[in-house]
């Protein structure tokens, strides 16, 4: 069936257009309020009641993205993904001495379809106009980090996405970029704040032993705190998808303990677990949509809530499994088997110390290896995203919905890759 479907996609490209454009009389079933559209004309789709600040779907900016794709190929091709192994924490963050038996060795890679919008005050204070002003904030403005409620905002922004990496929590949120067209809309701020508060709630909770983590409750509190932080007089509007993986362990009664992953999903970002030694995907989250390309989302005017709509899965994993947290910029451009093949190939290059990986055997850490894995996956997704004639999962799903689109989907691409590792604990 997959081979037949791909053959039909190739055939439609040979005919220079989608078969649905050649037969404009075709009318296929589609969800209520979803309009048939081509890649050059899109309608706003909204899950909430129609108001000036209702949460938009992401595809209403695709025409603009395609224009940018045609006009700025050289500028885009010169930009390499941003990479790292940990996302920043406050300077005064107290070091922890965890006794958890498992932890993440992780890295991330990011590619933004366009530069991220700066955070507005008071989340980022601009300098005053004069060095001699007695109330100058110039000295403070040298610190370009973002702040909320007196705390540095955790994570990193990538376009409208946000990612966060810690030793037992990784996440990737995808802000709905169409909010940029609305007055006081700022999806990137919403995606980053929710991830920040979500990670803090997980960090502060004293789960362990017989106590299980409660990531959906953490997400509910994070949504509430984000809504409060972006309310008047500092009102900013936005919505975001959310996904995270929290690493825990099986109950103390089980010897030896086994790693247990708490995966939380709302929307169409994705958590995927790969087992390299068996060369297979053992778990992945399922996309949640109101209708095609309009995901479930948290934020301004959205009917979705963590308690009602978030899905929590407890996934038994093994040491050396690889966990990916990805925005839909990956899933829209690469099929599952391509993700698996790319990760396995990258890990082989890293383990061999291939020159292309930049890794030196014995000198590179596992986190460096995961950073390379994330970087190679972002590069592969980007190749398809920038190719107007490529076959892609997004194109396939669009055609199945009766929408005439072609090629990859240009979007922010965010990947966190984490290796489940066993901690060497001191003997009691």
């Amino acid at each position: 069936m997959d081979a037949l479907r791909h053959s039909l996609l190739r055939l439609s490209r040979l005919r220079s257009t989608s078969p649905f454009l050649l037969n404009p009389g075709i009318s296929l079933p589609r969800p209520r309020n979803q309009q048939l559209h081509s890649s050059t004309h899109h309608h706003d789709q909204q899950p909430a009641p129609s108001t000036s600040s209702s949460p938009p779907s992401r595809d209403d900016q695709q025409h603009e993205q395609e224009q940018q794709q045609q006009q700025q190929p050289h500028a885009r091709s010169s930009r390499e993904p941003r990479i790292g192994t940990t996302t920043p924490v406050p300077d005064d963050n107290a070091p922890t001495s965890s006794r958890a038996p498992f932890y993440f060795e992780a890295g991330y890679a990011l590619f933004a379809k366009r530069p991220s919008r700066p955070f507005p005050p008071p989340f980022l204070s601009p300098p005053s106009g004069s060095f001699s002003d007695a109330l100058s904030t110039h000295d403070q403005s040298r610190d370009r980090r973002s702040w909320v409620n007196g705390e540095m905002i955790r994570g990193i922004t990538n376009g409208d996405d946000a990612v966060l990496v810690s030793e037992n929590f990784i996440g990737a949120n995808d802000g709905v970029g169409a909010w940029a067209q609305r007055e006081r809309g700022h999806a990137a701020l919403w995606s980053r704040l929710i991830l920040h508060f979500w990670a803090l709630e997980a960090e502060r909770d004293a789960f362990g032993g017989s106590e299980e983590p409660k990531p959906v409750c953490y997400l509910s509190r994070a949504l509430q705190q984000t809504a409060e932080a972006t309310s008047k007089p500092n009102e900013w509007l936005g919505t975001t998808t959310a996904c995270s993986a929290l690493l825990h362990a099986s109950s103390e009664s089980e010897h030896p303990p086994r790693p247990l992953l708490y995966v939380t999903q709302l929307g169409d970002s994705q958590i995927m677990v790969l087992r390299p030694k068996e060369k297979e995907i053992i778990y992945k989250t399922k996309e949640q949509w109101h209708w095609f390309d309009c995901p479930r989302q948290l934020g301004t005017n959205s009917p979705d809530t963590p308690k009602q709509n978030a899905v929590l899965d407890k996934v038994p994993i093994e040491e050396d499994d690889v966990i990916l947290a990805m925005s839909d910029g990956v899933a829209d451009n690469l099929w599952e088997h391509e993700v698996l093949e790319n990760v396995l190939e990258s890990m082989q290059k890293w383990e061999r110390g291939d020159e292309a990986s930049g890794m030196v055997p014995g000198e590179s850490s596992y986190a460096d290896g995961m950073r390379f894995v994330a970087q190679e996956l972002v590069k592969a997704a980007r190749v398809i995203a920038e190719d107007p004639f490529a076959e892609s999962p997004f194109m396939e799903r669009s055609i199945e919905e009766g929408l005439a689109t072609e090629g990859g989907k240009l979007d922010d691409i965010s990947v966190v890759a984490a290796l489940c590792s066993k901690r060497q604990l001191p003997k009691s």
Side-chain angles (χ1 to χ4, degrees):
M1 181 62 70
D2 287 342
L4 175 61
R5 189 158 56 233
H6 292 169
S7 297
L8 290 174
L9 289 174
R10 293 189 186 95
L11 177 61
S12 70
R13 180 142 49 255
L14 290 172
R15 296 168 72 179
S16 302
T17 184
S18 163
F20 301 114
L21 287 182
L22 292 175
N23 299 279
I26 293 178
S27 177
L28 297 182
R30 54 188 180 272
R32 184 189 307 174
N33 297 332
Q34 181 168 328
Q35 303 295 323
L36 182 65
H37 59 284
S38 72
S39 60
T40 58
H41 184 70
H42 296 270
H43 295 272
D44 210 7
Q45 303 172 12
Q46 303 175 354
S50 178
T51 69
S52 61
S53 57
S54 56
S57 67
R58 286 196 288 260
D59 71 339
D60 60 354
Q61 291 185 335
Q62 189 167 342
H63 180 47
E64 174 190 347
Q65 295 168 13
E66 290 169 349
Q67 289 179 325
Q68 293 174 351
Q69 186 173 346
Q70 295 170 1
Q71 295 170 1
Q72 300 177 333
H74 300 295
R76 285 197 324 275
S77 61
S78 64
R79 284 190 287 136
E80 288 296 315
R82 287 189 295 154
I83 56 175
T85 54
T86 58
T87 49
V89 295
D91 296 334
D92 59 354
N93 193 54
T96 58
S97 179
S98 175
R99 292 188 60 83
F102 302 98
Y103 69 103
F104 287 138
E105 292 271 12
Y108 65 85
L110 313 169
F111 169 74
K113 64 187 177 188
R114 56 175 173 264
S116 302
R117 295 174 59 201
F119 284 179
F123 305 102
L124 186 66
S125 298
S128 66
S130 171
F131 291 101
S132 60
D133 187 346
L135 300 179
S136 173
T137 61
H138 177 77
D139 185 64
Q140 298 175 25
S141 70
R142 293 176 184 174
D143 185 352
R144 303 305 296 169
R145 293 176 295 183
S146 304
W147 300 81
V148 63
N149 300 340
E151 292 185 290
M152 191 191 83
I153 303 178
R154 308 286 182 94
I156 290 180
T157 295
N158 176 46
D160 292 310
D161 293 355
V163 300
L164 188 143
V165 179
S166 69
E167 71 169 19
N168 77 325
F169 182 93
I170 60 173
N173 287 3
D174 185 353
V176 178
W179 280 105
Q181 299 179 351
R182 309 295 176 89
E183 185 179 1
R184 303 197 69 79
H186 207 307
L189 179 63
W190 270 81
S191 66
R192 178 83 171 274
L193 284 178
I194 285 183
L195 195 53
H196 161 79
F197 288 122
W198 198 3
L200 283 185
E201 289 294 326
E203 185 178 300
R204 291 167 181 164
D205 191 23
F207 63 82
S210 60
E211 292 292 325
E212 284 193 306
K214 300 176 280 292
V216 174
C217 292
Y218 308 152
L219 181 57
S220 293
R221 292 199 287 266
L223 174 60
Q224 180 180 356
Q225 292 173 78
T226 300
E228 292 172 355
T230 55
S231 60
K232 293 181 179 180
N234 305 308
E235 184 178 29
W236 290 95
L237 314 176
T239 50
T240 181
T241 67
C243 75
S244 76
L246 192 156
L247 184 58
H248 193 43
S250 56
S251 65
E252 291 184 339
S253 61
E254 187 172 347
H255 296 285
R258 295 179 302 151
L260 186 62
L261 202 64
Y262 286 70
V263 176
T264 309
Q265 164 84 358
L266 192 147
D268 61 356
S269 293
Q270 190 172 83
I271 299 292
M272 183 181 291
V273 182
L274 289 67
R275 185 154 294 158
K277 66 180 182 182
E278 297 176 7
K279 299 182 179 180
E280 66 177 0
I281 297 170
I282 66 168
Y283 169 86
K284 77 177 187 70
T285 52
K286 185 177 180 181
E287 297 161 325
Q288 295 176 302
W289 288 336
H290 288 278
W291 52 81
F292 174 67
D293 206 33
C294 184
R296 291 198 179 277
Q297 52 201 267
L298 299 175
T300 307
N301 284 357
S302 174
D304 303 319
T305 67
K307 290 185 178 180
Q308 291 183 342
N309 304 110
V311 175
L312 173 65
D313 289 327
K314 291 188 283 187
V315 186
I317 61 174
E318 297 179 0
E319 186 179 357
D320 295 332
D321 283 351
V322 174
I323 300 90
L324 302 175
M326 308 175 287
S327 65
D328 70 332
V330 177
D332 282 340
N333 291 297
L334 297 176
W335 278 280
E336 289 177 32
H337 71 274
E338 293 176 316
V339 173
L340 176 62
E341 291 167 2
N342 184 278
V343 170
L344 293 176
E345 182 179 350
S346 299
M347 292 186 71
Q348 290 171 359
K349 291 180 180 178
W350 158 50
E351 291 167 353
R352 291 194 306 259
D354 284 7
E355 184 177 350
S357 71
M359 302 292 167
V360 180
E363 296 183 13
S364 301
S365 67
Y366 288 109
D368 292 330
M370 289 297 100
R371 178 185 61 196
F372 177 67
V373 166
Q375 179 180 352
E376 292 301 289
L377 193 54
V378 167
K379 286 181 177 178
R382 181 182 173 187
V383 167
I384 303 301
E386 295 180 343
D387 186 348
F389 303 107
E391 293 178 9
S392 69
F394 182 78
M395 172 186 171
E396 184 177 86
R397 288 192 290 260
S398 297
I399 291 176
E400 289 173 350
E401 293 290 329
L403 310 177
T405 58
E406 193 170 31
K409 183 183 181 185
L410 185 60
D411 201 352
D412 301 324
I413 305 172
S414 303
V415 175
V416 178
L419 188 74
C420 177
S421 301
K422 189 172 183 179
R423 194 186 305 277
Q424 299 298 319
L425 297 174
K427 295 182 180 180
S428 51

